[in-house]
Amino acid sequence: MPSTTLDPMRAVYPSLAGRRIFISGGATGIGEAMVEAFAQQGCQVAFIDIAAEASALLADRVAKQGHLKPWWRQCDVRSVGDLQAAIHEAAQELGDFHVLVNNVASDDRHQLLDVSPDYWDERMAINQRPAFFSIQAVVPGMKRMGGGSIINLGSTGWQNKAGGYPGYAVAKSSVNGLTRGLAKELGGLGIRINTVSPGWVMTVRQMKLWLTPEGEQEIARNQCLAERLQPQDIAAMALFLASDDARMCTAQEFVVDGGWT
């Protein structure tokens, strides 16, 4: 029977040792798992998040585990100026980034008839816009280094026609367009860009806010694999795509959903 204990260090990627990684939305959930996973590979991780207390606790925990202490800043990604300033500040202190992970997102529920133009813009400002402007900020540094890897976090929710968050669905469906629309241009600079689309990952937030007995039944009915998706499962795919083992992978979507989609 498969183990229910997930080990975030399933594989070691020698090419990642010493590389600099920038992650948006890194304090909790999938982002937290990725911060820890990259740190365990010997990377220097930088991350931003609006949750200052959780960010500080994560950075301290990683350092206490004997890894390089992550650089972090509190940042509201709805401000493009603040977002790009944080990336530039981190690069000035640590060096240009080899890897960018566009993870930040908010899947707050909302209904079609309740969405105002202001609320729509706010959903895009969190779930869509930061990825593009983070890429814009890191590409000059990747160009100086001769290459890099960009990992955009998508979602299978819109692909499975899940309801309850049309603004989020629109934003996440655009991630593949961003990935494929930039792949050729960035490929000429030696930069790979891919999408990782998680299924229903059992983060603390998901279990607290959205997981119901009916949701458990839906998972059991739709996933091909019985185990519940964990943040570390998404981090494992990000590690691969960041590494030289994925050197010829670009313009692709990698789905990690237990076989649901």
Side-chain angles (χ1 to χ4, degrees):
M1 177 176 294
S3 171
T4 57
T5 302
L6 289 171
D7 179 4
M9 283 294 290
R10 292 189 183 104
V12 175
Y13 295 96
S15 63
L16 289 178
R19 289 192 177 170
R20 294 176 294 277
I21 318 295
F22 192 94
I23 301 170
S24 64
T28 61
I30 294 172
E32 177 185 11
M34 290 193 290
V35 167
E36 290 190 301
F38 277 107
Q40 289 166 354
Q41 295 284 334
C43 299
Q44 173 63 72
V45 180
F47 72 93
I48 54 172
D49 203 287
I50 200 167
E53 183 178 358
S55 297
L57 289 172
L58 173 59
D60 288 343
R61 185 171 76 244
V62 169
K64 288 178 181 177
Q65 292 170 352
H67 309 300
L68 291 173
K69 185 173 184 177
W71 180 103
W72 71 272
R73 290 291 183 274
Q74 184 179 30
C75 181
D76 185 339
V77 298
R78 291 175 293 184
S79 168
V80 171
D82 290 350
L83 168 64
Q84 292 194 329
I87 293 172
H88 292 316
E89 181 185 352
Q92 287 176 349
E93 293 188 27
L94 305 176
D96 293 326
F97 289 102
H98 301 88
V99 177
L100 167 67
V101 183
N102 283 313
N103 170 70
V104 68
S106 171
D107 64 347
D108 287 356
R109 271 36 176 187
H110 52 275
Q111 295 302 313
L112 171 65
L113 298 182
D114 296 331
V115 174
S116 67
D118 286 344
Y119 184 74
W120 176 269
D121 289 345
E122 193 256 357
R123 290 295 88 194
M124 298 305 117
I126 297 174
N127 294 310
Q128 184 184 61
R129 197 169 65 187
F132 179 89
F133 287 102
S134 294
I135 293 169
Q136 188 182 71
V138 302
V139 161
M142 290 183 176
K143 182 179 179 181
R144 283 190 290 270
M145 294 188 297
S149 175
I150 296 169
I151 301 164
N152 297 322
L153 268 288
S155 173
T156 61
W158 66 271
Q159 300 178 54
N160 296 329
K161 297 172 284 295
Y165 47 38
Y168 177 80
V170 168
K172 283 300 183 181
S173 69
S174 74
V175 172
N176 282 345
L178 178 65
T179 293
R180 295 182 68 83
L182 289 176
K184 185 69 172 178
E185 176 182 350
L186 296 180
L189 303 175
I191 301 169
R192 298 180 290 106
I193 181 169
N194 292 285
T195 297
V196 174
S197 292
W200 196 354
V201 180
M202 295 296 100
T203 64
V204 172
R205 172 182 167 86
Q206 293 297 315
M207 291 188 290
K208 179 180 179 181
L209 296 179
W210 317 127
L211 185 63
T212 62
E214 292 77 18
E216 290 274 15
Q217 293 174 6
E218 189 176 8
I219 293 170
R221 182 169 59 251
N222 289 292
Q223 281 189 191
C224 298
L225 299 174
E227 292 192 51
R228 297 299 180 252
L229 280 167
Q230 301 297 326
Q232 293 89 343
D233 295 313
I234 314 307
M237 180 60 76
L239 291 179
F240 167 70
L241 291 173
S243 76
D244 288 353
D245 294 58
R247 70 182 192 89
M248 292 303 289
C249 296
T250 198
Q252 303 303 311
E253 179 187 22
F254 294 83
V255 175
V256 184
D257 72 347
W260 186 325
T261 303

